Amino acid sequence: MAVVAILAGGSSTRFLGSDKLFYPIKGKPLIKCVIDSIMRCKNVLKVIAISSQMHINKIIEYIDVIQDPYQIGPLGAIYIALKMYREVFIIGGDMPYIDCRCIDVILNHCRDESSIACIPQYNSYLEPLLSIYRRPILDIIEFGIIHDILSLQKLLKLFKAPIKTIDVGNIDILKRCLIN
């Protein structure tokens, strides 16, 4: 069973001047579609959103929301989630194709708890917003926050962190879920 934290703090700077999280898909805001999809999953114990101040009032009607006081991107949100939970499944709020099959595939690949993170990888690029993180990664994240290294990819390489990767190349459902 997983605790899922949906990241809902972006400013949508690349989305044609509107807020991508609230872009309507089938009559519902994108973030609501993501929340509804995840809430249906039998392997999900709890779902929360981690949001910037500008989104909280719009999202709180759908789900429990924790405000991100750091405003440093996904790294700050992962940090907040891991301060609350021992293990957390991070999902971007802008993934319209997320579904239970995708979550189950990742959970099945990430059962071994010896790694500090389990992250899908497509070619050589890590997909940090559809990943599982465990509390021992907090030391690395704190180092990044203190030293203004806010890229999870850079931090993981710098520390040669013990992560497990999932090769997305052969798993069609993961390729689809990563589309945003």
Side-chain angles (χ1 to χ4, degrees), residues 34-150:
V34 171
I35 291 167
D36 289 350
S37 292
I38 295 167
M39 297 283 272
R40 285 192 284 271
C41 301
K42 66 178 183 196
N43 288 321
V44 171
L45 179 65
K46 181 169 183 67
V47 182
I48 61 169
I50 300 176
S51 174
S52 62
Q53 178 61 41
M54 79 174 159
H55 291 135
I56 285 180
N57 292 333
K58 294 178 187 174
I59 297 172
I60 202 157
E61 66 185 85
Y62 309 132
I63 193 168
D64 291 337
V65 182
I66 289 100
Q67 182 180 343
D68 177 359
Y70 301 105
Q71 297 295 289
I72 56 173
L75 198 67
I78 295 167
Y79 181 75
I80 291 165
L82 286 173
K83 285 293 201 174
M84 297 171 52
Y85 302 100
R86 180 186 65 77
E87 179 179 277
V88 66
F89 195 136
I90 297 291
I91 297 177
D94 62 349
M95 296 182 161
Y97 299 108
I98 193 77
D99 65 23
C100 298
R101 295 172 301 158
C102 182
I103 289 171
D104 290 345
V105 165
I106 292 176
L107 288 172
N108 286 332
H109 276 84
C110 299
R111 289 186 180 169
D112 173 17
E113 294 189 18
S114 63
S115 60
I116 61 173
C118 184
I119 306 173
Q121 184 172 8
Y122 194 61
N123 297 324
S124 63
Y125 183 76
L126 294 175
E127 299 287 351
L129 301 187
L130 187 64
S131 301
I132 294 175
Y133 297 93
R134 298 184 177 102
R135 194 165 277 158
I137 201 171
L138 278 176
D139 291 339
I140 292 172
I141 293 172
E142 287 171 350
F143 178 91
I145 292 170
I146 290 167
H147 294 91
D148 201 32
I149 304 170
L150 304 179

